[in-house]
Amino acid sequence: MLKNHEKDGLGNLLGVWVSSNWVGGLQPSAEPAFSHLLFFILDAVQFAKLHAPLSLLLLGISGYVFCQQSKLYPAVGLLVAAAVALNTNPLSYACWGLPPKALALGCTLAALGLLQGGFQTGWRGWLRVLLAGLCVGLNVVEGADVGAILSLYVAAFAVWQMFAEPGAKVANALRGAGRLALVAVCAGWIAAHAL
């Protein structure tokens, strides 16, 4: 049984009590995520109609951006975007009511794309790392346990970049450790409510 102030998007900011019989209850709760923003903007029927397609669209866009940051041909990026958005795993999850898994995958691809730029110097490089951390945090908020597992892939990618970059290995290791720490701090800041 939900309290009266929990029946709308704004009321969810106060928290949502979900009993052990949670199926059919109002979701999502107050986490700072795309799903909650969409739930806050739209009414329940529009949310139900648009949540899955928009999640898959964002997943496809993230796949395209990752390919562009990997310096692949645009045609390859379009094929990857279509393949990732229409993959049977996230598509089937989204169609039977779990679009946050597609969003978690999209946030992971966005984080990998932001980190793909390599060790850029200056504030723009660190801004990309900061945004990658925010994507990882949204990944954990949207995907819960799946998001936590996917965040380990982002961490593994960041560690791999430390050793794959040309140049002085010690300097790369220090810079890479700083990047990984910034990603972890930003992700923890965003996902603190969900954790």
Side-chain angles (χ1 to χ4, degrees):
M1 174 180 278
L2 296 172
K3 298 175 186 172
N4 287 335
H5 66 81
E6 296 169 344
K7 293 183 180 180
D8 59 0
L10 185 59
N12 283 348
L13 293 175
L14 300 173
V16 174
W17 175 80
V18 181
S19 69
S20 60
N21 300 321
W22 62 271
V23 176
L26 291 175
Q27 294 294 333
S29 63
E31 285 107 9
F34 174 76
S35 297
H36 187 262
L37 175 69
L38 197 63
F39 184 70
F40 183 72
I41 293 171
L42 304 174
D43 66 5
V45 174
Q46 290 173 335
F47 177 79
K49 289 180 180 180
L50 294 176
H51 194 203
L54 287 177
S55 300
L56 293 170
L57 177 67
L58 288 175
L59 175 58
I61 291 170
S62 296
Y64 181 79
V65 168
F66 175 75
C67 289
Q68 290 299 308
Q69 293 301 313
S70 300
K71 299 191 178 21
L72 298 174
Y73 289 111
V76 173
L78 289 174
L79 286 173
V80 167
V84 112
L86 299 175
N87 184 299
T88 57
N89 191 301
L91 179 66
S92 64
Y93 272 101
C95 289
W96 62 269
L98 288 175
K101 183 172 182 184
L103 287 170
L105 289 168
C107 289
T108 300
L109 280 173
L112 292 175
L114 287 164
L115 291 176
Q116 184 66 17
F119 290 126
Q120 295 179 352
T121 58
W123 67 271
R124 290 184 186 199
W126 289 105
L127 180 63
R128 290 173 66 103
V129 173
L130 179 94
L131 290 174
L134 297 179
C135 286
V136 171
L138 287 174
N139 165 31
V140 172
V141 169
E142 288 286 357
D145 56 344
V146 173
I149 292 169
L150 291 173
S151 68
L152 296 176
Y153 290 117
V154 176
F157 182 76
V159 169
W160 173 79
Q161 275 189 320
M162 287 185 217
F163 301 108
E165 288 291 322
K169 296 298 179 193
V170 174
N172 284 348
L174 290 174
R175 199 170 333 132
R179 287 166 44 114
L180 185 59
L182 183 59
V183 167
V185 166
C186 291
W189 179 67
I190 288 291
H193 182 277
L195 297 174

